[in-house]
Amino acid sequence: MFKPSRFFSIMLTAALACCGLSAAVAPSASAAEPAKKAFDPKYLATPNGAATFLDPQVSCFSCHQATDPNQAEMYKERGTLKRVTLVETARWRELDFHSQAANSLTTPRAKVMGELLGYDVAKSTRCLNCHSGHQRITERAAQPPELSAPRDALTKHGVSCQACHGPAQNWETAHRAANEKDDNWWKKSSDDKYALGLLDIRHPRSRAQICLSCHLGSSSEGKILTHDMYAAGHPPLQNFEVETFAAAMPYHGLLLEEKIKSSPESHQDWYRAEDFYRTRSVFTSAIVALRMQVQLILDEATWAAQPAAGAKPAGDVHRAQWPELAFFNCASCHHELAADRPSRDRSPSAAPGRPMLREWPTTLYEVAMRGTGLERNAEPVLKPLQEALSRNPFGRAQEVRAAAATVAARLDADLAAFESRPLDRAAAVKYLDAICAVGLSRPIDYEEARQLAWSAKTIVRELKGSASGTSVPSTATLERIERAVGAFDADLCLEFPVKQAKPKGPDVPKPTPIPYSAALFGLGSQSLDAAFRFDEPSFRRRLAELQAALAPAP
């Protein structure tokens, strides 16, 4: 039953929380860019969007959790262990919070949310599209989107293998044969595998899109976190930096650097050994994040601008009502977390009384453009869209759609230009300087500060990991840079909770149910506290210290 007092109490709590929390390489000149590498808003659903997800217990887990000694010995003799570890499932199940994503829909908090929202969150595809990751949306008039596989076979595993790697119906047989019969699968390019529906989880662009489809949102996948969900108690989505989050999962398979040694053919269409892969991934995913934010608005405004009669599927429950307030900065309507903290200056294109978009997807995009020398002019990339949203409250859908399409086209061009530039060790150092320049050039909020700090930490880790025999930067300079970047940890809540692995016996651990961990809620509280305490002048001083550390020693 709907309880108004509880609803408004939770709505206020969620709204306040929302205020504060909320390497692809250019191919050689002789090779054309593969078609799938162009940004495609429906990348995750093509070319096999209708393909079936298989029960991972009888498909993926049967090999990637090999408990039969004879099977493991066969794989060892055939050289398969150069490409897989056979314990991917155990590591994912024990250490990765994604395995618990569906369990979170059965907690007491989720039950209250369901009462307020008016539907069972443990059964609705509004929630399962992200919390299990195994759904595809089929829009049919007068019918709701349908699940593409039996619910219990998928949701009990949370966000498991095929949620990220793609529905296995068309590639599972060939993939399994590579382990049991021949090596042809390993010789296929990522394009060939994509044609069967296997997503390229290592290409920075596609990986960012896979992750951000849930961590930011995707209309084509029916993954939209709404203001109503926030009001009912859904934790605010935190800002997202793909390399930081991927390392925190942690990795359950072989890293690209390990995989490429045994299967170079599988990534030959984009991989280049001399590239700074992780640094490129940071900024590729930053551009993709901004592009996907614009795509969300473009898709929803396009849907809202359609004629009311005959064009909108009656059961299209995943579409947000325009305007969807969750797409905007919470502090535009709600007050700042700290009563004595003034609201940040508005975008030059935002009229008084008009809400602004969340800023964090823009921050590292600006760093990418500055660090690569691709800055076109001083005009903010989102200016046409913000102006359309400011002409009247939240804008008119037709005008917003046109402006979003203009911005999307520019971002597509910027992403292609960025990926065409080489990114070596010296270029990585330039990005650290660009981080400082962008952070010191304008007001920075808590989410933006985390983006800058996370990216700086990733760059420093990669610089240290490839420092042998190099002089850029010098050893002394790199030590100063590392100390300066380490200082960010004190104020920004940059680390994630870690699940402890089970003690290892003689056998690979068998699957066991894992209760949903409260650690993630704890992280949300810690992040909220850090946002409340965020001291912009202090962060700017730390940026200035990093900038000074980048200067060569006299």
Side-chain angles (χ1 to χ4, degrees):
M1 179 182 296
F2 183 85
K3 299 178 177 60
S5 60
R6 179 181 293 178
F7 175 81
F8 289 113
S9 175
I10 293 177
M11 181 174 67
L12 177 60
T13 300
L16 291 176
C18 187
C19 296
L21 291 178
S22 341
V25 183
S28 62
S30 60
E33 180 78 355
K36 81 175 181 67
K37 300 302 191 299
F39 183 85
D40 176 7
K42 297 186 178 182
Y43 170 80
L44 305 185
T46 55
N48 286 289
T52 297
F53 291 88
L54 306 181
D55 184 346
Q57 191 69 56
V58 296
S59 54
C60 311
F61 296 171
S62 62
C63 289
H64 291 280
Q65 188 175 266
T67 57
D68 183 346
N70 294 328
Q71 184 186 33
E73 185 62 29
M74 176 191 72
Y75 289 153
K76 181 178 180 181
E77 291 178 357
R78 296 196 66 257
T80 304
L81 295 183
K82 295 178 181 179
R83 306 181 181 98
V84 298
T85 67
L86 302 184
V87 295
E88 289 89 353
T89 298
R91 282 183 57 80
W92 161 80
R93 191 183 296 278
E94 292 180 17
L95 301 177
D96 191 338
F97 284 104
H98 285 92
S99 64
Q100 298 178 258
N103 293 343
S104 69
L105 299 178
T106 61
T107 62
R109 181 190 186 106
K111 183 177 180 180
V112 173
M113 286 183 62
E115 292 175 354
L116 296 173
L117 291 168
Y119 53 82
D120 187 342
V121 299
K123 297 180 179 180
S124 172
T125 52
R126 295 177 181 92
C127 306
L128 290 172
N129 282 339
C130 280
H131 283 264
S132 76
H134 287 101
Q135 278 64 52
R136 289 292 185 270
I137 304 308
T138 303
E139 294 179 355
R140 293 191 295 178
Q143 296 187 32
E146 296 179 351
L147 302 180
S148 60
R151 182 180 285 112
D152 59 349
L154 297 173
T155 58
K156 66 181 179 181
H157 300 298
V159 179
S160 58
C161 315
Q162 296 163 70
C164 298
H165 292 278
Q169 179 185 30
N170 295 329
W171 55 262
E172 194 265 351
T173 300
H175 177 72
R176 184 185 292 272
N179 291 331
E180 299 175 352
K181 298 177 182 178
D182 59 65
D183 285 335
N184 288 334
W185 176 261
W186 307 114
K187 297 176 183 179
K188 292 182 180 294
S189 70
S190 56
D191 282 343
D192 292 335
K193 294 175 181 177
Y194 177 73
L196 296 174
L198 182 67
L199 305 181
D200 189 351
I201 196 66
R202 291 184 171 87
H203 190 289
R205 184 188 296 202
S206 54
R207 179 173 61 166
Q209 195 167 352
I210 293 166
C211 298
L212 286 162
S213 68
C214 286
H215 285 272
L216 192 152
S218 169
S219 291
S220 64
E221 290 291 290
K223 299 172 179 177
I224 303 174
L225 181 57
T226 67
H227 190 268
D228 286 348
M229 293 177 182
Y230 279 142
H234 193 292
L237 285 183
Q238 298 193 35
N239 53 301
F240 187 87
E241 195 287 292
V242 68
E243 282 297 323
T244 300
F245 277 59
M249 288 171 57
Y251 297 104
H252 49 262
L254 296 177
L255 298 175
L256 174 66
E257 299 89 327
E258 301 166 321
K259 190 84 169 182
I260 203 70
K261 293 178 182 178
S262 59
S263 304
E265 300 90 349
S266 64
H267 300 93
Q268 64 183 347
D269 50 335
W270 60 266
Y271 178 76
R272 188 168 63 191
E274 63 270 21
D275 210 57
F276 254 51
Y277 168 73
R278 309 231 169 261
T279 299
R280 181 179 292 282
S281 177
V282 166
F283 297 109
T284 299
S285 65
I287 303 173
V288 170
L290 184 58
R291 178 64 176 81
M292 289 183 68
Q293 182 191 45
V294 173
Q295 189 66 40
L296 262 177
I297 297 171
L298 175 60
D299 286 343
E300 296 310 296
T302 299
W303 181 84
Q306 292 176 345
K312 300 177 181 179
D316 192 0
V317 297
H318 292 80
R319 291 298 189 187
Q321 297 297 314
W322 184 263
E324 174 47 60
L325 302 182
F327 296 164
F328 297 87
N329 188 315
C330 304
S332 294
C333 298
H334 301 278
H335 63 68
E336 296 284 352
L337 288 174
D340 59 348
R341 180 181 299 164
S343 297
R344 62 174 299 165
D345 292 339
R346 289 188 166 274
S347 165
S349 56
R354 303 292 190 260
M356 297 184 297
L357 300 173
R358 295 177 70 184
E359 293 287 338
W360 72 260
T362 309
T363 311
L364 293 185
Y365 162 81
E366 293 179 8
V367 175
M369 295 298 100
R370 184 184 291 256
T372 320
L374 289 171
E375 290 179 295
R376 299 179 182 180
N377 49 55
E379 181 177 289
V381 64
L382 293 180
K383 183 179 179 180
L385 180 55
Q386 191 67 66
E387 288 178 342
L389 292 168
S390 296
R391 291 191 184 103
N392 60 293
F394 302 103
R396 296 180 177 84
Q398 289 280 14
E399 296 177 1
V400 170
R401 179 178 62 175
T406 297
V407 175
R410 172 176 170 178
L411 290 172
D412 287 344
D414 287 344
L415 181 55
F418 172 80
E419 289 188 331
S420 72
R421 303 297 202 274
L423 207 166
D424 57 13
R425 187 178 184 83
V429 176
K430 290 181 180 178
Y431 281 109
L432 288 173
D433 187 66
I435 287 170
C436 298
V438 169
L440 293 171
S441 66
R442 58 179 177 80
I444 293 292
D445 65 21
Y446 172 67
E447 290 185 330
E448 294 173 286
R450 289 177 105 196
Q451 292 296 106
L452 295 171
W454 274 331
S455 60
K457 288 170 71 70
T458 295
I459 295 171
V460 169
R461 281 196 297 269
E462 192 161 30
L463 286 170
K464 286 188 63 180
S466 61
S468 178
T470 65
S471 59
V472 180
S474 67
T475 301
T477 298
L478 184 55
E479 290 176 352
R480 293 199 308 273
I481 293 171
E482 185 178 13
R483 286 194 297 271
V485 170
F488 290 132
D489 292 343
D491 304 326
L492 298 177
C493 190
L494 299 177
E495 300 301 321
F496 293 91
V498 176
K499 290 169 65 177
Q500 298 299 316
K502 298 176 183 177
K504 294 295 188 294
D507 299 322
V508 176
K510 295 181 179 179
T512 56
I514 301 176
Y516 185 70
S517 173
L520 293 181
F521 284 122
L523 173 66
S525 298
Q526 295 165 18
S527 299
L528 179 60
D529 183 60
F532 178 81
R533 293 183 291 100
F534 177 62
D535 183 351
E536 184 180 356
S538 175
F539 177 72
R540 294 172 70 85
R541 286 193 295 272
R542 297 191 191 283
L543 281 177
E545 291 168 1
L546 173 58
Q547 195 173 53
L550 289 166

